Amino acid sequence: MKHLQNANISYSEIFDEFRHPSSGAVVLFSGEVRNNNKGREVTHLEYEAYEPMANKMIEEILVEAKSRFKLNQAECVHRLGKVEISGCAVVVVTGAGHRKEAYDANRYIIDKVKNEVPIWKHEFFADGTSEWGQNCDCVTDEHEHSHHQEKAE
Amino acid sequence: MEKRLIKIKCFAGLRKFFGSETTVLVEQDSNYAKVIEALQLLNPEVTEILSSCRIAVNEDFVQLSETIKQEDILFLIPPSSGG
């Protein structure tokens, strides 16, 4: 699917193709897998999605952001399956006439994707346990705290 | 009142409790909230998680207060944790 893939995300390739004669600013955000979370050592993540809906929602978020922030281009690709430490889990690229729109739109898109799109992270820890994650790092003021966390066996 | 069988697809942490797919019986004119209630009865351990879930039909979220239409498969969507 256009916005979801099992293979590694080559953000340098996406970035290289992100040229537009009206764009004076291109911003790339890469969400990468950390080796720790809340004091615990993380070995890797696995992502699952309700794929057709997630793909559709990401497309809708991009279309809305392009209009809202007057972007020339916007792209977002999210990984599915196993992602190793330092692997790219999600990339958002935005291109606009000026940097403010490109930065603001990029932040808007990643926040919406993280909070609204049906994609789920399964975190695996060095002690052999795993948990279905939640995005409660409270980066957005309007973020609703309706999360759950379940220990996997 | 006549009841109908509703299939529910489950994702992420909910699969541990319900598998990838489960079914519940609800009354014909139930709303989507009744499906959540039926699932809570099926497994009270997940009551809290279920209260933060949404339901999607045909790749769109529905309001829990809406009456279930003719669709037979619902998608139970736990809070997102992508990125």
Side-chain angles (χ1 to χ4, degrees), chain A residues 13-85:
Chain A
E13 277 179 28
I14 299 173
F15 194 70
D16 281 345
E17 292 184 6
F18 231 77
R19 295 287 179 269
H20 190 284
S22 303
S23 286
V26 177
V27 170
L28 182 146
F29 168 82
S30 173
E32 315 224 326
V33 178
R34 270 197 319 272
N35 66 0
N36 67 89
N37 192 17
K38 299 185 178 92
R40 302 179 70 189
E41 188 183 343
V42 174
T43 58
H44 65 280
L45 302 182
E46 287 181 12
Y47 286 97
E48 174 184 330
Y50 172 21
E51 295 182 30
M53 185 170 177
N55 192 63
K56 187 181 94 160
M57 283 184 74
I58 292 175
E59 181 66 27
E60 287 168 356
I61 290 167
L62 293 174
V63 167
E64 194 231 325
K66 280 175 85 168
S67 153
R68 178 188 283 238
F69 294 93
K70 300 187 177 66
L71 300 177
N72 297 316
Q73 302 141 289
E75 183 55 283
C76 173
V77 180
H78 202 296
R79 271 297 305 275
L80 297 177
K82 183 175 181 180
V83 188
E84 305 285 357
I85 302 302

Side-chain angles (χ1 to χ4, degrees), chain B residues 32-69:
Chain B
Y32 293 103
K34 293 287 181 197
V35 172
I36 300 276
E37 284 174 25
L39 286 168
Q40 286 170 337
L41 289 174
L42 209 58
N43 194 333
E45 203 185 338
V46 279
T47 297
E48 197 183 329
I49 305 169
L50 287 169
S51 65
S52 61
C53 286
R54 289 176 290 176
I55 287 178
V57 175
N58 297 327
E59 299 167 21
D60 282 314
F61 289 114
V62 293
Q63 297 292 324
L64 294 182
S65 57
E66 284 175 44
T67 303
I68 303 171
K69 298 175 193 72

Side-chain angles (χ1 to χ4, degrees), chain A:
Chain A
M1 287 190 183
K2 190 178 172 195
H3 302 296
L4 300 170
Q5 65 181 54
N6 279 289
N8 284 342
I9 296 172
S10 174
Y11 46 67
S12 54
E13 277 179 28
I14 299 173
F15 194 70
D16 281 345
E17 292 184 6
F18 231 77
R19 295 287 179 269
H20 190 284
S22 303
S23 286
V26 177
V27 170
L28 182 146
F29 168 82
S30 173
E32 315 224 326
V33 178
R34 270 197 319 272
N35 66 0
N36 67 89
N37 192 17
K38 299 185 178 92
R40 302 179 70 189
E41 188 183 343
V42 174
T43 58
H44 65 280
L45 302 182
E46 287 181 12
Y47 286 97
E48 174 184 330
Y50 172 21
E51 295 182 30
M53 185 170 177
N55 192 63
K56 187 181 94 160
M57 283 184 74
I58 292 175
E59 181 66 27
E60 287 168 356
I61 290 167
L62 293 174
V63 167
E64 194 231 325
K66 280 175 85 168
S67 153
R68 178 188 283 238
F69 294 93
K70 300 187 177 66
L71 300 177
N72 297 316
Q73 302 141 289
E75 183 55 283
C76 173
V77 180
H78 202 296
R79 271 297 305 275
L80 297 177
K82 183 175 181 180
V83 188
E84 305 285 357
I85 302 302
S86 296
C88 174
V90 57
V91 66
V92 177
V93 194
T94 46
H98 301 280
R99 66 184 180 282
K100 184 179 189 325
E101 290 79 9
Y103 271 119
D104 290 351
N106 200 294
R107 176 65 178 268
Y108 177 84
I109 292 165
I110 188 61
D111 286 350
K112 277 213 145 192
V113 168
K114 283 175 76 95
N115 293 332
E116 295 178 15
V117 176
I119 299 174
W120 303 281
K121 166 170 58 186
H122 198 180
E123 275 186 305
F124 290 80
F125 299 100
D127 63 8
T129 63
S130 67
E131 285 177 6
W132 284 97
Q134 46 186 287
N135 277 341
C136 199
D137 37 24
C138 303
V139 290
T140 52
D141 296 336
E142 67 273 24
H143 179 66
E144 286 182 25
H145 294 81
S146 55
H147 302 296
H148 72 279
Q149 195 159 333
E150 278 305 309
K151 284 192 190 300
E153 312 238 297

